[in-house]
Amino acid sequence: MEEKNQAVCHDYDIHFYPTFRYFKAFTKEFTTGENFKGPDRELRTVRQTMIDFLQNHTEGSRPPACPRLDPIQPSDVLSLLDNRGSHYVAIVFESNSSYLGREVILDLIPYESIVVTRALDGDKAFLEKLGVSSVPSCYLIYPNGSHGLINVVKPLRAFFSSYLKSLPDVRKKSLPLPEKPHKEENSEIVVWREFDKSKLYTVDLESGLHYLLRVELAAHKSLAGAELKTLKDFVTVLAKLFPGRPPVKKLLEMLQEWLTSLPLDRIPYNAVLDLVNNKMRISGIFLTNHIKWVGCQGSRSELRGYPCSLWKLFHTLTVEASTHPDALVGTGFEDDPQAVLQTMRRYIHTFFGCKECGEHFEEMAKESMDSVKTPDQAILWLWKKHNMVNGRLAGHLSEDPRFPKLQWPTPDLCPACHEEIKGLASWDEGHVLTFLKQHYGRDNLLDTYSADQGDSSEGGTLARGEEEEKRLTPPEVSHGDRDTQSVRPPGALGPRPALPESLHHSLDGKLQSLDGPGAHKEVGGAAPFLGVDFSSLDMSLCVVLYVASSLFLMVMYFFFRVRSRRWKVKHHHPAV
C-alpha cells in the first residue's frame, strides 16, 4: 500500500500532505490537476479553500453536481416565502466570513425533497422581521407554505445538517438497485413498525440471535478445532452478558453449559440446532424462530436487518461487560478487558457470512485492538470502528436511503457528544461513553413487539418461520459482497417441517455420517427398528452416558478383582 501511495505521489508530483488538486469533470486525457494553496495546511484551511474554489466557478466550468454557493438577496428570500413548492427550503443566515451555510449546502447535496441556500446578515431590519436575532440561524419553509426558525441545541454545522436530514420525507437519493428476477418477489409487502430511535428493542436482539444460531451457523455441517472453540467462547459471552428476557437467557446458559461439558472434539451442527429448538421440551427456555425487525427494519426487506442487529448485540455486550464486570467471573475472561472484543473478532472471522466485511474488521482489529486496556476503552473502540464502517459504506448500494450511514450518535440523540475545535467537528468522548452506556444498557431495552413464549404465530409456526428466512438477505454490504449460498445451505434455514419420524431419522443419519458412510447406513436402519423419537442431541448424550458407564464398570471390576486376590493371599496357609 505504501509503495502504491509513493507511485501516485510521483506520478502527480505531490510532495506533501494535505494537497488540494482540482481535476475537471469528465477529463479524458491524463493531467496532474490544478494545484491550490491556502495560507497554511491546517485541515480547516484546506476545506475552506475547496469551498471557495467551488463557489468561484464560472457558469461554463461549473461541475453539473455542484450547487450554487453564493448568498441570495432579501428579495429572493421573500420570493421563496411567497411561493409554495413540493419540497422544503432551508435558508441559513450567517455573517460574511462564515462557511457554515456553504458547508450545510454541500452536506445536503445527496438528499432529496429539500433545497438549502444561504443569506447574509447585512439587512438587520429584514432579519428582525423574520425573527432572526442571532447568526448563524436556519429559517425553514415547509412544503405546505408555513415557515419559521428551527431550534437546535448548538449553532454548529453538525446540528443544522442533522436536523434537516431528519425532516419527514427528506432522505438520501436512491441508487438504482438491480431488479429481482421474479415478479412475485417484487410484490412483497414490508409491514412498517413505529419505533423510538432512542430505545433498544429486545426483538431486534432476539431476531439477530435466531439468525445467528439457526442460519449463519448452519453453513458449518460440523464444528471442530478452532471453530468449536470460537463457538464455545462466543456462546459463553452471550450466556453471561446477554441482557434479554429470562427464557432466552436460560436457553443460552443451557447451550453454554452443554458445549463446555461435552467431551467431544467434534460436534454436528444439528446437535446445536436441536438444543436451540428445544427438542427435549425443557420448560422455561425459548428463542423465537420468526424474524421481526423494529429498530433494525429497513425501507426494503433486504436492507439493514441482521447486520444492524449484530452491531447492536456487539455494542450491548461491551456495555454489559463494563457495567457488570462480575458477570464473567469463572469464565477465564474476567481479567481481560479485550475478552469481549476478541471473541467478537474470532466469531466474525470464522462464521460471519460476509467475507469482505470480516476482512475489513480484521484489519481494524490488527491495527488498534491491542491498545484497549479497560472495559470502557472497549466500548469506545467498537463505537469508533462502527463509525468508520458507516463512513466507508455511506453511498454504497447497501445503504438504506431512509436510514443513511451517519456518524453516530447524531446531535439530536446526544447534543453533548458533539463539539467543534478550531472549526472542525469533534467528539466529546466522555459524553459519548456516558451515552453509550445508557443507550445500550439493559434499562433502555424495550420488549415491545417481542414474541410471546406461548405465541404460536411467532415461535411455533414452522412454515412461516421458513418463509421469513427466504426473504432475508445476507449481512452488511451489497448483494455482490457476499456469497449468499455460503450462508444458506439447502434445508438448513430455520425451523424444519413437523415430520417427526423422517426428521429425526435424518438427523441421526447426519450425526453418524461424521464417522463415514457405513455408519450412516447402520443408523438409518437402527432408528426405524427402535421406533423411538431420538434426536441428535439424545443420541450424543446416550453415547456419552454409555462410555461413562462402561468406564465405571471396568473400574469397579478391576477394583474387586484386585481386592479378591489380596484376600486369598492373606488367608492362604501353605502345607508344612
Side-chain angles (χ1 to χ4, degrees):
M1 181 63 72
E2 185 176 349
E3 293 178 357
K4 184 177 180 180
N5 290 337
Q6 290 177 352
V8 171
C9 292
H10 179 269
D11 293 342
Y12 290 91
D13 195 28
I14 297 173
H15 301 287
F16 37 73
Y17 295 109
T19 293
F20 171 37
R21 290 284 178 84
Y22 171 66
F23 297 84
K24 292 183 179 180
F26 311 115
T27 301
K28 296 182 179 179
E29 298 180 357
F30 176 82
T31 173
T32 58
E34 299 178 38
N35 197 31
F36 288 85
K37 298 179 180 178
D40 56 57
R41 299 200 174 275
E42 295 292 330
L43 287 177
R44 180 182 183 181
T45 304
V46 174
R47 188 178 70 190
Q48 292 177 354
T49 302
M50 294 171 66
I51 292 174
D52 289 336
F53 176 79
L54 291 174
Q55 182 177 348
N56 294 332
H57 267 306
T58 60
E59 284 299 326
S61 63
R62 182 186 302 277
C66 183
R68 293 179 178 274
L69 300 178
D70 295 318
I72 61 175
Q73 301 300 316
S75 57
D76 298 322
V77 175
L78 292 175
S79 176
L80 291 172
L81 293 174
D82 292 337
N83 295 327
R84 179 180 298 184
S86 59
H87 53 262
Y88 296 91
V89 177
I91 307 166
V92 178
F93 289 95
E94 60 184 342
S95 64
N96 188 45
S97 61
S98 172
Y99 282 82
L100 185 143
R102 285 168 283 186
E103 291 170 346
V104 174
I105 292 173
L106 294 171
D107 285 343
L108 271 294
I109 286 178
Y111 290 78
E112 58 188 8
S113 302
I114 188 169
V115 173
V116 184
T117 186
R118 57 187 283 258
L120 301 181
D121 61 346
D123 192 337
K124 304 298 182 182
F126 180 70
L127 294 182
E128 185 177 349
K129 183 179 179 181
L130 293 178
V132 179
S133 57
S134 62
V135 292
S137 292
C138 184
Y139 201 86
L140 186 62
I141 304 173
Y142 295 83
N144 62 6
S146 61
H147 47 80
L149 286 171
I150 67 172
N151 295 316
V152 292
V153 178
K154 298 178 183 179
L156 303 177
R157 166 192 173 185
F159 285 77
F160 287 117
S161 295
S162 177
Y163 183 95
L164 297 177
K165 292 174 184 178
S166 66
L167 291 170
D169 300 323
V170 173
R171 61 184 63 186
K172 262 197 170 180
K173 298 170 184 175
S174 301
L175 294 173
L177 296 176
E179 292 186 3
K180 296 180 181 179
H182 304 297
K183 292 182 179 179
E184 60 270 17
E185 292 183 4
N186 284 323
S187 61
E188 66 184 51
I189 299 175
V190 176
V191 178
W192 188 255
R193 302 177 181 93
E194 295 299 327
F195 69 98
D196 183 351
K197 65 180 181 180
S198 68
K199 297 295 183 181
L200 193 65
Y201 288 84
T202 304
V203 65
D204 288 320
L205 300 182
E206 291 184 358
S207 294
L209 280 180
H210 155 67
Y211 190 96
L212 186 155
L213 294 171
R214 293 196 179 103
V215 180
E216 200 154 59
L217 287 181
H220 301 257
K221 183 177 181 181
S222 63
L223 300 161
E227 287 184 353
L228 182 57
K229 178 67 164 61
T230 297
L231 178 63
K232 287 181 178 180
D233 289 347
F234 188 67
V235 171
T236 296
V237 170
L238 284 174
K240 299 299 182 182
L241 299 177
F242 187 76
R245 298 183 294 170
V248 179
K249 293 185 67 174
K250 186 176 179 182
L251 183 145
L252 292 172
E253 290 167 358
M254 189 175 69
L255 178 60
Q256 182 257 338
E257 183 178 354
W258 177 71
L259 285 172
T260 54
S261 62
L262 199 64
L264 296 176
D265 297 329
R266 176 185 295 270
I267 62 171
Y269 163 72
N270 281 324
V272 177
L273 183 62
D274 284 344
L275 199 149
V276 173
N277 288 341
N278 195 16
K279 290 294 185 180
M280 300 184 74
R281 300 293 186 267
I282 300 173
S283 63
I285 71 171
F286 168 79
L287 176 62
T288 180
N289 62 10
H290 184 71
I291 291 293
K292 181 188 288 184
W293 307 122
V294 178
C296 285
Q297 62 190 316
S299 58
R300 289 175 53 168
S301 61
E302 68 269 22
L303 299 176
R304 304 185 80 220
Y306 177 62
C308 165
S309 71
L310 199 60
W311 276 115
K312 289 182 184 291
L313 176 62
F314 288 169
H315 285 297
T316 301
L317 295 177
T318 58
V319 167
E320 287 292 312
S322 177
T323 55
H324 298 84
D326 294 339
L328 292 175
V329 170
T331 62
F333 298 144
E334 56 268 28
D335 297 323
D336 184 3
Q338 298 178 24
V340 176
L341 293 179
Q342 293 289 359
T343 304
M344 294 176 193
R345 175 184 181 179
R346 288 190 288 128
Y347 176 84
I348 293 171
H349 177 75
T350 305
F351 296 109
F352 194 49
C354 173
K355 298 307 178 186
E356 182 182 349
C357 311
E359 291 170 0
H360 283 135
F361 192 88
E362 182 62 24
E363 289 175 6
M364 295 189 297
K366 287 181 179 178
E367 179 183 326
S368 60
M369 189 177 284
D370 287 342
S371 65
V372 173
K373 304 300 181 185
T374 67
D376 283 353
Q377 289 179 6
I379 296 174
L380 291 174
W381 186 91
L382 189 64
W383 161 73
K384 290 176 183 177
K385 300 312 174 186
H386 193 174
N387 272 339
M388 285 181 62
V389 172
N390 282 346
R392 180 171 59 83
L393 294 181
H396 197 277
L397 282 174
S398 64
E399 182 180 42
D400 191 331
R402 187 165 183 172
F403 300 95
K405 303 288 186 183
L406 302 172
Q407 296 302 287
W408 194 89
T410 52
D412 58 318
L413 285 177
C414 183
C417 296
H418 294 261
E419 57 185 8
E420 276 193 6
I421 299 177
K422 295 182 179 181
L424 297 175
S426 181
W427 294 101
D428 185 323
E429 292 192 0
H431 282 106
V432 170
L433 180 61
T434 301
F435 170 81
L436 293 173
K437 287 185 175 182
Q438 181 277 325
H439 184 80
Y440 291 108
R442 59 183 65 182
D443 292 337
N444 198 43
L445 197 59
L446 295 183
D447 290 341
T448 311
Y449 298 110
S450 294
D452 183 71
Q453 186 176 359
D455 186 355
S456 61
S457 66
E458 297 287 356
T461 306
L462 303 183
R464 182 178 177 184
E466 285 186 341
E467 188 65 28
E468 281 293 322
E469 292 297 345
K470 293 177 183 178
R471 297 201 296 116
L472 288 173
T473 304
E476 189 188 345
V477 292
S478 66
H479 303 79
D481 287 333
R482 173 177 176 182
D483 181 6
T484 306
Q485 296 302 322
S486 67
V487 192
R488 297 166 175 270
L493 302 182
R496 293 157 298 175
L499 301 172
E501 290 288 338
S502 59
L503 170 64
H504 292 303
H505 295 166
S506 174
L507 283 176
D508 293 338
K510 290 179 180 178
L511 174 66
Q512 297 298 327
S513 66
L514 293 172
D515 299 323
H520 178 86
K521 294 178 180 178
E522 181 181 345
V523 174
F529 174 77
L530 292 173
V532 181
D533 232 5
F534 286 131
S535 68
S536 303
L537 179 61
D538 299 330
M539 294 291 288
S540 60
L541 289 175
C542 287
V543 170
V544 171
L545 290 174
Y546 175 80
V547 172
S549 301
S550 300
L551 290 174
F552 177 76
L553 290 174
M554 289 176 65
V555 169
M556 295 301 296
Y557 169 78
F558 285 111
F559 172 77
F560 284 110
R561 184 69 180 268
V562 171
R563 186 175 180 181
S564 174
R565 286 184 177 181
R566 287 180 178 177
W567 185 87
K568 288 182 179 180
V569 170
K570 184 177 179 181
H571 294 83
H572 177 65
H573 300 285
V576 178

